[in-house]
Amino acid sequence: MKTHAIRPGTLDQTDRPLTCTAEQALRGSELPGRWARRERFVWLATGFGRGEQFLAAWQVWKADPLRCERLVFIAIEDRPLSRSELAQAGAPDLARQLHAAWPPLTHNLHRLSFEQGRVQLLLAFGEVAPWLAELVASVDAFVLAEAGGRDRYRLKSLAKLAAPGATLVMPGRNDALLTQAGFELRHNDGLTMARYQPRFIAQRPAARTPVAPGARQAVVLGAGLAGCAAAWALAEQGLEVRMFDQGAAIAQAGSGNAVGLFHGTLNPDDGLHARFNRAAALELRRILPALPLPWRIDGLLRTESTRDLAQMQALLADLGLPADYVQALDARQAGAHSGLPHQGPAWYYPGGGALSPPSLARAFVEAAPAGRVRFCSGQAIRQLRRAGDGWQLLDEDGRVLAETPLLVISTGTGSLNLLQTQGWPLRLQRGQITHLPTSTPGLRMPSIPVAGTGYVVTDQAGDVWCGATAQDHDLDPSLRETDHEHNIAQLMRLSNAEIEVVQLNLLQGRVGWRVIAEDRLPLVGALPDLAALEARRDQPRFIARQPGLLVATGMASRGITWAALSGQVLASLATGAPCPVEASLLDAIDPARFDARRARGQAA
Ligand SMILES: Cc1cc2nc3c(=O)[nH]c(=O)nc-3n(C[C@H](O)[C@H](O)[C@H](O)COP(=O)(O)OP(=O)(O)OC[C@H]3O[C@@H](n4cnc5c(N)ncnc54)[C@H](O)[C@@H]3O)c2cc1C
């Protein structure tokens, strides 16, 4: 999908395609009756406007004692209102919550969560047709704006998204094409109402089938950022989660640094990497205010070394990225944010910042609906064994410590041993960070984190950390003076300061390891079933999966930014809930992508 700038809409509705009223939409979708006692109900609307349909559906859901457990409302909006223009429609309390959660206008799928995750709004900003082709969901009710039903391409996409018996409501008529797409029609008051009842239902690609649709329990193996976020997201979907770790507490390994940075990125071609980073950064930014975090810094600067300010501004205009996502600043403006003297321009990410990774990991667990995540410490797992459609976890002596219908492997560096048979191109990279007491001569304290070549940030106690080194395949756990020297040299360049450290051997720091995939994207998804014989293996989505087995690893140097979105993706793959990222991003982080590449290579 080609990224484009999102043009904000206006409150003047005259240029909008005709759509149903909220009342017509609910009636045509046979609601609230049709969602009664269901686990999940998914609504897809082309057009969002001021959110009238969403707010009405939410209000009816709230008042209905027989409501479904979870309501997911997907809306595709080409011209979303800016937050300031988003009028207060519907019930004031709900409209206020929507207003507060309204995202930056970027070409993304934005997941807004209400009612402790039981009501979710997936806002897809951009044109309808490309988004319909990119959504991964099973939709129970379509509510289309008039233009939505006009062309065959869209209707074919609708049929791919439709759950059996899905309803469709739209103003006007488009009988021939709807019938062709498998909908049975009736008309009323100028509205088309239809039900998806095709003669045959095309099979979904293997990787688009949930891996544990009926599971009520899950085990997450590994309690770092990736595991804790997965546990939180699964608990939001109603699962009881046990989280096993060999350590005595949460986030003691890769995720154990005192402080770390989070932020999006930007790139002239807005490729998969930049898009995933942006989607993940926006997800984290949305959930952070509700997480029980003791401390965080908002705002982050990335220095720019190759472009001047005019070139940076031109790039922003070209990508159409709004100021509440990223801004181009000159040296003086950058200095006003960081408190450091800057010599060149910098990118400012208002939604980026710094936090303590262990606090974030614990906050995921605490934010999970009451009691649904249980941490089991001191459980070193040496082997996984398939048992029917579930999995057993075995210790060193071959004892079965747990059995589960759904297992998430998020063991960081430990993933390499547990999953070695997969042959994925992952590498371990050692990294050392350096702690500098505030009394260090020449040290300048940044008010927000500054990154460039290296980074500098203060922690909750106000001390400075700088880093980090990057040494592939280096397993040395000891702090090295040469690495401190390297980090301090980077810090001096970043902060334009002469820093004097007399005794490097007395400095504190921390050593950890990053798990990095060859393409520098994480591995988030279901494990391929390499023994299965499918007709096609050239795209990840066609590769069959092992039941009940998911992985989240390869978090590289971005675990803070990536964990929350990765967890949400896993939860959707497990349960069949609509996916919070588009199909092309899902394929890009799919662990089976390496097998697909191999298959394409062999075919060539
Ligand atoms: C020096 C350095 C600086 C960094 N700075 C940043 C930063 O500023 N921002 C950022 O976003 N990221 C940063 N990172 C990267 C970040 O730390 C990682 O991306 C993240 O911590 C990975 O989380 P994880 O959950 O995948 O792995 P981990 O946190 O390592 O969690 C894996 C867990 O699995 C457990 N485990 C492993 N094997 C087993 C087993 N067999 N049985 C039971 N339990 C097991 C481990 O005990 C561990 O708790 C940095 C990394 C380094 C090294």
Side-chain angles (χ1 to χ4, degrees), residues 50-128:
R50 297 185 306 161
E52 292 90 340
Q53 289 175 6
F54 167 65
L55 291 166
W58 181 4
Q59 201 171 5
V60 171
W61 178 88
K62 228 172 143 58
D64 181 6
L66 300 180
R67 64 185 169 232
C68 51
E69 275 300 310
R70 283 165 193 80
L71 174 64
V72 185
F73 193 106
I74 307 171
I76 307 175
E77 177 57 73
D78 194 15
R79 301 203 45 207
L81 296 175
S82 63
R83 185 198 290 251
S84 57
E85 289 242 17
L86 188 70
Q88 307 273 309
D93 171 42
L94 306 188
R96 236 190 334 271
Q97 291 183 53
L98 173 64
H99 192 265
W102 198 243
L105 303 189
T106 61
H107 192 234
N108 279 95
L109 196 52
H110 303 266
R111 190 187 71 91
L112 277 51
S113 179
F114 307 96
E115 310 283 351
Q116 271 230 316
R118 290 182 66 196
V119 174
Q120 300 221 346
L121 172 61
L122 287 180
L123 282 169
F125 290 158
E127 288 167 19
V128 173

Side-chain angles (χ1 to χ4, degrees), residues 361-429:
R362 285 191 295 270
F364 281 127
V365 176
E366 284 168 38
R372 288 219 190 114
V373 178
R374 193 153 58 85
F375 175 55
C376 309
S377 60
Q379 309 284 323
I381 302 302
R382 292 290 168 256
Q383 199 195 332
L384 308 172
R385 191 161 67 197
R386 184 136 159 206
D389 270 357
W391 292 89
Q392 291 178 334
L393 290 81
L394 287 74
D395 70 6
E396 202 147 36
D397 302 322
R399 270 188 313 233
V400 176
L401 296 186
E403 188 157 347
T404 177
L406 173 62
L407 173 63
V408 177
I409 303 172
S410 47
T411 41
T413 56
S415 311
L416 272 68
N417 283 337
L418 280 172
L419 300 168
Q420 58 192 336
T421 49
Q422 300 291 329
W424 291 330
L426 293 174
R427 70 175 195 278
L428 286 193
Q429 185 183 72

Side-chain angles (χ1 to χ4, degrees), residues 169-386:
V169 196
M170 69 174 200
R173 298 182 71 139
N174 202 341
D175 297 8
L177 288 179
L178 278 172
T179 311
Q180 229 174 327
F183 287 89
E184 283 193 0
L185 309 179
R186 74 201 151 83
H187 298 98
N188 201 349
D189 297 340
L191 287 183
T192 296
M193 304 203 213
R195 187 180 303 282
Y196 185 59
Q197 267 163 348
R199 281 205 202 91
F200 76 98
I201 296 182
Q203 218 185 342
R204 292 188 178 222
R208 298 291 187 254
T209 315
V211 297
R216 304 314 303 154
Q217 287 112 28
V219 167
V220 171
L221 180 58
L225 283 167
C228 291
W232 156 74
L234 288 168
E236 255 195 5
Q237 292 295 328
L239 279 82
E240 303 288 331
V241 183
R242 282 176 296 161
M243 196 165 51
F244 284 65
D245 199 291
Q246 61 198 7
I250 283 171
Q252 300 293 294
S255 308
N257 286 350
V259 61
L261 277 47
F262 57 93
H263 57 96
T265 53
L266 89 178
N267 194 287
D269 67 1
D270 205 41
L272 292 167
H273 205 266
R275 276 168 50 203
F276 183 73
N277 273 325
R278 185 168 67 241
L282 290 168
E283 166 72 17
L284 180 66
R285 166 199 173 123
R286 276 190 299 275
I287 62 163
L288 272 182
L291 289 180
L293 275 177
W295 166 87
R296 70 171 204 258
I297 301 175
D298 287 332
L300 177 142
L301 281 173
R302 267 203 84 87
T303 57
E304 169 63 60
S305 52
T306 55
R307 297 178 186 89
D308 63 24
L309 187 65
Q311 288 168 323
M312 291 165 73
Q313 282 160 344
L315 179 56
L316 278 186
D318 192 39
L319 291 170
L321 291 172
D324 47 357
Y325 177 67
V326 62
Q327 298 164 26
L329 302 184
D330 64 23
R332 188 190 53 76
Q333 292 165 320
H337 279 287
S338 71
L340 299 179
H342 287 257
Q343 285 182 332
W347 300 103
Y348 175 59
Y349 289 90
L355 50 71
S356 142
S359 298
L360 177 61
R362 285 191 295 270
F364 281 127
V365 176
E366 284 168 38
R372 288 219 190 114
V373 178
R374 193 153 58 85
F375 175 55
C376 309
S377 60
Q379 309 284 323
I381 302 302
R382 292 290 168 256
Q383 199 195 332
L384 308 172
R385 191 161 67 197
R386 184 136 159 206

